């Protein structure tokens, strides 16, 4: 994907690092000042760029995951949207809390993909620690995936049905706060004001649907998003209105 997005309602990427013992020995060949400046000047090849950032993620894995875990704990304690979503997810599950989304089943890992997170009903939520810019980015990603968890429990949507998938992505991008104007303006360089929220949600939902195996291309993805747009964009449950 052209930007770091959430690949949700699907099993976490098998490339996510789960054990330091299983990692290959770090190849520092590409993690050099020479390659760093080649990337800055635009002269690096795609292979050099990929290997440089992969080596960088290997080196910083422990630091990235530790920071992610610390920010995750802070968000579950202090973030209004994370606390609100957790409360509403808890209301849908059994009294024993077995279906809750909490610190234990939100896992920070290093990922080899460009996505920032993912949700799976059995696994919980995967956060790609090496793709996060800051705590605000983690909050948006976690809120996005928690909207998916809510939809899974409340509406029993099938993520393999493209119409269902499109609706899930529309709702998650609308309600998580990731498409608010300040995030678009300062982070993604989207300068438009008129219909900014709708354009952001359409763009991100279309990218996510297009990445699913059942989708043929971005044309089909855009068509499916348009089909379900009105009902899904205007459905703000569990919020009374769009969270900003």
């Amino acid at each position: 994907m052209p930007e770091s997005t959430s690949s949700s309602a699907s099993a976490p990427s098998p490339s996510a690092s789960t054990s330091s013992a299983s990692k290959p020995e770090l190849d520092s060949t590409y993690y050099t000042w020479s390659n760093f400046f080649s990337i800055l000047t635009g002269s690096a090849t795609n292979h050099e760029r990929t290997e440089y950032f992969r080596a960088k993620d290997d080196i910083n894995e422990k630091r990235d995951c530790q920071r992610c875990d610390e920010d995750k704990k802070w968000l579950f304690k202090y973030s209004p949207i994370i606390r609100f979503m957790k409360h509403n997810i808890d209301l849908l599950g059994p009294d024993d809390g077995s279906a809750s989304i909490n610190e234990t089943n939100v896992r920070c890992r290093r990922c080899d993909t460009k996505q920032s997170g993912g949700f799976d009903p059995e696994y919980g939520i995967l956060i790609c620690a090496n793709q996060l810019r800051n705590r605000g980015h983690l909050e948006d990603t976690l809120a996005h995936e928690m909207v998916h968890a809510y939809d899974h429990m409340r509406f029993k949507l099938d993520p393999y049905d493209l119409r269902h998938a499109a609706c899930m992505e529309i709702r998650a991008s609308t309600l998580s706060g990731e498409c608010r104007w300040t995030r678009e303006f300062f982070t993604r360089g989207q300068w438009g004001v008129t219909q900014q929220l709708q354009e952001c949600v359409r763009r991100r939902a279309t990218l996510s649907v297009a990445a699913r195996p059942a989708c043929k291309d971005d044309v089909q993805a855009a068509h499916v998003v348009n089909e379900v747009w009105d009902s899904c964009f205007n459905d703000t449950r569990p919020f009374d209105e769009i969270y900003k």
Side-chain angles (χ1 to χ4, degrees):
M1 296 183 187
E3 64 181 27
S4 182
T5 61
S6 297
S7 176
S8 308
S10 60
S13 168
S15 61
S17 176
T18 57
S19 171
S20 59
S22 64
K23 292 193 305 179
E25 184 178 350
L26 174 64
D27 179 4
S28 59
T29 303
Y30 291 93
Y31 194 62
T32 64
W33 282 110
S34 176
N35 282 332
F36 173 74
F37 284 113
S38 293
I39 291 171
L40 285 182
T41 59
S43 61
T45 65
N46 288 336
H47 178 70
E48 288 172 337
R49 287 176 58 86
T50 298
E51 293 304 318
Y52 173 85
F53 286 112
R54 180 174 297 161
K56 182 173 181 290
D57 286 342
D58 281 340
I59 292 171
N60 295 328
E61 178 177 359
K62 182 178 179 180
R63 183 204 65 184
D64 291 343
C65 290
Q66 181 178 353
R67 182 181 63 182
C68 176
D69 282 329
E70 292 172 353
D71 286 344
K72 175 187 68 176
K73 291 179 181 179
W74 190 94
L75 291 171
F76 270 104
K77 189 173 183 179
Y78 297 112
S79 167
I81 189 172
I82 300 305
R83 288 165 56 89
F84 178 81
M85 286 305 306
K86 183 182 185 308
H87 172 70
N88 280 275
I89 291 171
D90 288 346
L91 292 177
L92 297 175
D95 293 338
D96 62 5
S98 59
S100 177
I101 294 294
N102 51 58
E103 293 180 27
T104 62
N105 57 9
V106 176
R107 299 172 173 88
C108 294
R109 299 288 188 270
R110 181 184 67 83
C111 303
D112 291 334
T113 62
K114 293 300 182 182
Q115 67 195 54
S116 56
F119 167 70
D120 180 88
E122 300 297 326
Y123 180 92
I125 292 175
L126 168 69
I127 300 294
C128 295
N130 56 315
Q131 299 296 341
L132 299 176
R133 296 183 297 273
N134 48 44
R135 184 187 289 166
H137 189 193
L138 172 58
E139 183 179 39
D140 289 348
T141 300
L142 184 53
H144 182 113
E145 304 307 335
M146 292 179 83
V147 173
H148 284 318
Y150 176 88
D151 285 356
H152 169 74
M153 296 180 65
R154 176 68 176 80
F155 306 116
K156 309 302 180 186
L157 297 180
D158 177 5
Y160 298 102
D161 182 310
L162 288 184
R163 289 172 60 88
H164 287 193
C167 193
M168 294 172 72
E169 297 300 339
I170 290 169
R171 280 177 41 78
S173 289
T174 301
L175 301 175
S176 66
E178 65 189 8
C179 276
R180 58 186 175 276
W181 184 83
T182 52
R183 186 73 74 213
E184 282 285 273
F185 185 91
F186 291 109
T187 303
R188 306 185 187 108
Q190 300 294 325
W191 310 110
V193 177
T194 305
Q195 300 293 307
Q196 172 272 327
L197 173 64
Q198 291 90 330
E199 290 177 4
C200 172
V201 173
R202 283 184 185 275
R203 183 182 74 250
R204 295 175 70 83
T206 300
L207 286 170
S208 294
V209 173
R212 294 175 183 262
C215 186
K216 293 185 297 184
D217 51 35
D218 55 353
V219 174
Q220 183 186 18
H223 178 72
V224 173
V225 168
N226 287 335
E227 281 186 330
V228 301
W229 176 262
D230 288 338
S231 61
C232 298
F233 181 77
N234 292 304
D235 183 355
T236 62
R237 289 174 289 180
F239 298 90
D240 293 329
E241 58 185 12
I242 296 175
Y243 176 82
K244 296 182 180 179

